[in-house]
Every structure is written in structure tokens, then in C-alpha cells.
Amino acid sequence: MTRTESEVGELYMILRDRKKLASILIVQDISQRELARAAGWKSHSYMGRLLRGEAKTVDAEAAVRISHRLGLPLEHLFLTVVSEKTGSPVQSERTKRGAKKSRPAA
């Protein structure tokens, strides 16, 4: 069965390292509020949750805006994930290789 456009899940981004993001904000003298505005958010509370590790995901548009504001490539800050329509994430090839288990011989 081939996938149709209606079978594709959501695209979202996972913050790779919250401490790295916090360090970048300090070095570049950017506040949480300023970065939250750049992400297109009305409030800075979610940015605070990301920096404290209470949240890990952002939508793709916010991730692109954050990376652009910080002047960094998107892949330095975020991992890209596409969820299946059922809600389970699709594994990347790298993850699949690392998660292979040995199977008993038949």
C-alpha cells in the first residue's frame, strides 16, 4: 500500500539540548521573552518550560524561527520527528539501526 497525503502524520521538532539553548541565550544576550516573540508565541511561559526541561517539543515553524533568530542551523538545536497518523513517531534510519535486536534463529 502506498502512502497518501492523508496518511502522513504531524511534523514536530524536539529540542536537542536545553542547556545548550540556555547558554546560547546568555552568550547572545537574548532574553526568554525575546526568543519567545521570535518564535511567534504571545507568552514566554513555554520558552521557560523548554529551558527547564519540562517541555521538549515545538512545532516546525517555531523551531525555524528560533534557529533563524539565533543564527544557527536548525539541526544544531532540533531533531525532526514525523508522527504516524496513529500518533506514534516514525523512527529515523539512525534510530532503527541503534534499536535493532538480535532475533533467535528459526
Side-chain angles (χ1 to χ4, degrees):
M1 177 178 167
T2 59
R3 286 188 165 201
T4 64
E5 191 171 317
S6 63
E7 293 174 337
V8 176
E10 282 187 66
L11 172 71
Y12 61 96
M13 312 300 278
I14 298 175
L15 181 62
R16 285 181 181 264
D17 185 347
R18 67 184 180 88
K19 291 180 181 181
K20 179 179 178 180
L21 179 59
S23 296
I24 293 166
L25 290 177
I26 291 168
V27 169
Q28 293 190 16
D29 195 29
I30 298 172
S31 70
Q32 289 181 31
R33 289 177 191 264
E34 185 179 346
L35 193 59
R37 278 192 302 271
W41 301 331
K42 293 180 181 179
S43 169
H44 68 283
S45 62
Y46 194 74
M47 182 60 66
R49 291 183 61 212
L50 283 171
L51 292 168
R52 289 189 304 274
E54 296 170 5
K56 295 181 181 179
T57 62
V58 298
D59 62 55
E61 184 177 343
V64 169
R65 289 172 178 250
I66 289 167
S67 295
H68 179 74
R69 174 61 184 90
L70 297 175
L72 296 169
L74 184 67
E75 58 273 5
H76 283 346
L77 296 172
F78 299 98
L79 294 170
T80 305
V81 178
V82 178
S83 67
E84 301 246 1
K85 195 166 180 125
T86 61
S88 62
V90 175
Q91 292 181 334
S92 68
E93 285 302 313
R94 185 174 173 187
T95 305
K96 285 180 186 176
R97 277 185 261 131
K100 283 185 182 177
K101 294 180 182 175
S102 59
R103 295 183 183 186

